[in-house]
Amino acid sequence: MFKATIQDISVVKDSLDAISSLITEGTFKITSNGLSLVAMDPASVAMVIFNILPSAFLEYECSEESEMTINLPNFVSVLKRARANDKLKLELTESKLKINMEGDFKRSFAIPLIDTPHGSQKVPELSFKSKVELFANVLKDGIKDASMVSDCVVFEASPESFIIKSFGDLSETKLELTKDSPSLLSIESQETSKAKYSIDYLEKMLKGVKPTDKLLLNFSTDYPIKIDCNKIDKYQLSFILAPRVDTE
Amino acid sequence: MFKATIQDISVVKDSLDAISSLITEGTFKITSNGLSLVAMDPASVAMVIFNILPSAFLEYECSEESEMTINLPNFVSVLKRARANDKLKLELTESKLKINMEGDFKRSFAIPLIDTPHGSQKVPELSFKSKVELFANVLKDGIKDASMVSDCVVFEASPESFIIKSFGDLSETKLELTKDSPSLLSIESQETSKAKYSIDYLEKMLKGVKPTDKLLLNFSTDYPIKIDCNKIDKYQLSFILAPRVDTE
Amino acid sequence: MFKATIQDISVVKDSLDAISSLITEGTFKITSNGLSLVAMDPASVAMVIFNILPSAFLEYECSEESEMTINLPNFVSVLKRARANDKLKLELTESKLKINMEGDFKRSFAIPLIDTPHGSQKVPELSFKSKVELFANVLKDGIKDASMVSDCVVFEASPESFIIKSFGDLSETKLELTKDSPSLLSIESQETSKAKYSIDYLEKMLKGVKPTDKLLLNFSTDYPIKIDCNKIDKYQLSFILAPRVDTE
């Protein structure tokens, strides 16, 4: 059986909120290493790899491995009901996930488990030519700029700089970080990588990150991007997104 | 004739705002004891009993009893236009309610009186088995929780505890206050009372209450609930709401 | 060629935002005296006369007179993307307006120029009987009051007072400033002027003004109004609006 207590739900809630904008039904594997979720969005364009570490919890008890498939937006709605100082207890029963909140008074919620015929998703093996580490607010700014003129954005990494740009019918936007920009934490690029991604997906993925969060972008030319947004001792979270490739 | 001056409109405005979400045309009886309104909502599910006391006003002058039927949402719109330190003067003429606001400058508003063929509503005689006094924010939290899984909420009072709960297809929510909860101010219950009420109506009724307002709930099993939200020296306000009774 | 740098875009941005709610395509004349825009709204009810002074810029370079027609809402969207301390550089090329933003990092935007067959608008010669100077928040309050009961508002100036009023089917609103009101900065009125104007247009025009901005209203009976909202050393901005004349 699985039981766990968490004091500060906010860290996990924001990530789950972003994930639930991509994926409705999610299957968590529950082991002594934490709760892990690997899932594709319905259009098979994006993948989520999420692992909440046991150290994110005050107490974490898992006697045997199990699976739990739940409606993620419903789960997030319940988590959003927690008051600031509530202690949350999760408990898995045969048919339900129970969530107890204890603060000034006691509240309890139950979410039904969903039968799932799907086997679990496999994480694809990917190797990337460019790795860019930067603050979330810069990435969000560049994407928001781009959204004014297009529904997709181009990322371009060279050994010297990282560029976020977009082209509309006649308009253009461009955000450039050079190696000496304080906003660019690190860049490793063996060659120039250039690829185009959906703004809509990126915005959903970045919904939960804070402006000062550090993100690692991994990509190559016309190749998927993997965005890592990890929180030490709390969770590992990666999003993989397929590129848009022009077929002209 | 009727004339009155009020310094701090905010107290009365929030109550009227809640009332106007249930009732469009309201008939006030104006006497030397204040302005009183007793009205049913159009679906005859809810009743409002509102009495603004003369002591809520700086000056209150009523030479003879009269009636005034006005469009409540319009009246509330005008009251919302008052600036923070405005002094409001109400004056009833033959065909209009005049509202003057005096602060840095003078403003005046006039709202037409409505002809009303209806006799006034009678307040039903009700006797209740359970009385629960609690802070408004706890009640609102329990109802908001419930709204995630259902359109109605169950109140259950026993001599020892008060419970707000709801059941969806498979999901559940429950908020429990025991006799020793600091959020439960008092409870009197001769037996276990349990009844179900519309969340939509409750939310409209509670729209104007502040988180720290004290509310008194009066109800019995499958019986109407009366919610008292009084403000000493300002007004008496009660809402009565019919229960939802399962007919299975 | 035209090049200019501006440090604090906020001043100009708010005005352009208001203008862009009235006019979609705008033609700026660029001379050594600044950027000027004279345009009618599509319904020919309102005119905008806007002149951004060279002193609003850190650097302003204009070697020869030119014209630039752009989509104003798009231009405003780009300006809104500027971060608080960004320095903005505008540069006009043959087919585009380039906007560079420099702060923690560099961003660049390009907006296409639009071919325009229209000759430029002429500012009509108008002479006014009444001039009223007041704070923007008072004017906005009076117009907002009026919007509850009508879609147009009456301005009435006499040697002694300025009144903003409106009439609905049966409701009325009135805001009165007398000569000694601290909110009325000055009034000059040879006779009583009274005219009615569209609230929708007025609200769009006043969208960008701050509560404490000083405005000068110039009007006469059943005659256009000119609203001057100038910012010393930054810009001159006037809106002219045709009156509503009852044809009963």
Side-chain angles (χ1 to χ4, degrees), chain A residues 141 145 170 172 174 176, chain C residues 81 83 96 106-108:
Chain A
D141 267 357
D145 289 352
L170 293 161
E172 304 166 22
K174 183 168 122 178
E176 181 164 8
Chain C
R81 297 295 308 141
R83 292 179 154 217
K96 287 179 195 295
K106 281 187 190 177
R107 290 189 288 169
S108 60

Side-chain angles (χ1 to χ4, degrees), chain A residues 7-230:
Chain A
Q7 180 69 66
D8 179 14
I9 194 62
S10 67
V11 165
V12 175
K13 185 184 64 187
D14 291 342
S15 300
L16 280 168
D17 198 13
I19 295 169
S20 74
S21 70
L22 292 168
I23 290 153
T24 308
E25 294 189 0
T27 302
F28 287 90
K29 265 196 197 162
I30 303 173
T31 70
S32 55
N33 294 322
L35 281 83
S36 75
L37 169 75
V38 177
M40 290 287 276
D41 86 296
S44 297
V45 171
M47 176 173 260
V48 174
I49 305 154
F50 188 41
N51 190 29
I52 311 176
L53 302 172
S55 49
F57 296 88
L58 276 182
E59 292 167 48
Y60 187 90
E61 208 178 306
C62 170
S63 56
E64 52 171 352
E65 291 193 13
S66 56
E67 284 203 347
M68 162 179 97
T69 303
I70 52 174
N71 179 298
L72 291 178
N74 286 0
F75 185 41
V76 170
S77 302
V78 170
L79 297 183
K80 284 183 176 172
R81 296 296 306 142
R83 292 179 153 216
N85 295 313
D86 278 358
K87 195 183 282 189
L88 264 78
K89 295 190 180 186
L90 306 180
E91 188 183 346
L92 189 64
T93 71
E94 211 140 305
S95 64
K96 287 178 195 297
L97 173 65
K98 289 190 180 173
I99 301 137
N100 290 297
M101 300 183 186
E102 289 183 20
D104 287 346
F105 42 85
K106 281 188 190 176
R107 290 189 289 168
S108 60
F109 300 82
I111 293 176
L113 301 186
I114 300 169
D115 281 339
T116 170
H118 325 300
S120 71
Q121 295 285 345
K122 271 183 204 160
V123 179
E125 285 193 28
L126 297 167
S127 77
F128 303 100
K129 296 266 166 59
S130 296
K131 289 171 192 288
V132 177
E133 195 184 13
L134 78 180
F135 287 113
N137 63 343
V138 184
L139 182 62
K140 283 185 157 185
D141 267 357
I143 292 170
K144 189 109 193 261
D145 289 352
S147 72
M148 291 192 298
V149 307
S150 177
D151 63 351
C152 57
V153 61
V154 175
F155 293 154
E156 187 179 317
S158 70
E160 296 304 319
S161 71
F162 175 60
I163 294 171
I164 303 170
K165 60 189 180 181
S166 70
F167 305 91
D169 282 353
L170 293 161
S171 303
E172 304 166 22
T173 72
K174 183 168 122 178
L175 185 158
E176 181 164 8
L177 297 173
T178 49
K179 235 180 159 167
D180 54 343
S181 297
S183 305
L184 183 62
L185 297 167
S186 74
I187 187 161
E188 268 178 64
S189 195
Q190 301 148 30
E191 52 181 53
T192 296
S193 299
K194 189 172 160 188
K196 202 156 72 173
Y197 303 99
S198 155
I199 288 176
D200 185 39
Y201 273 94
L202 289 171
E203 285 183 337
K204 286 178 177 171
M205 291 170 175
L206 298 176
K207 204 178 143 182
V209 301
K210 305 240 169 333
T212 55
D213 283 353
K214 292 175 185 176
L215 303 178
L216 182 64
L217 313 183
N218 311 270
F219 68 105
S220 304
T221 296
D222 292 343
Y223 193 76
I225 189 169
K226 182 161 81 75
I227 304 177
D228 300 325
C229 9
N230 300 332

Side-chain angles (χ1 to χ4, degrees), chain C residues 12 98 102:
Chain C
V12 175
K98 288 190 181 174
E102 288 183 21

Side-chain angles (χ1 to χ4, degrees), chain B residues 20-45:
Chain B
S20 75
S21 69
L22 292 168
I23 289 153
T24 307
E25 295 188 358
T27 302
F28 287 90
K29 265 195 196 160
I30 303 173
T31 70
S32 55
N33 294 321
L35 282 81
S36 76
L37 169 75
V38 177
M40 289 287 277
D41 86 295
S44 297
V45 171

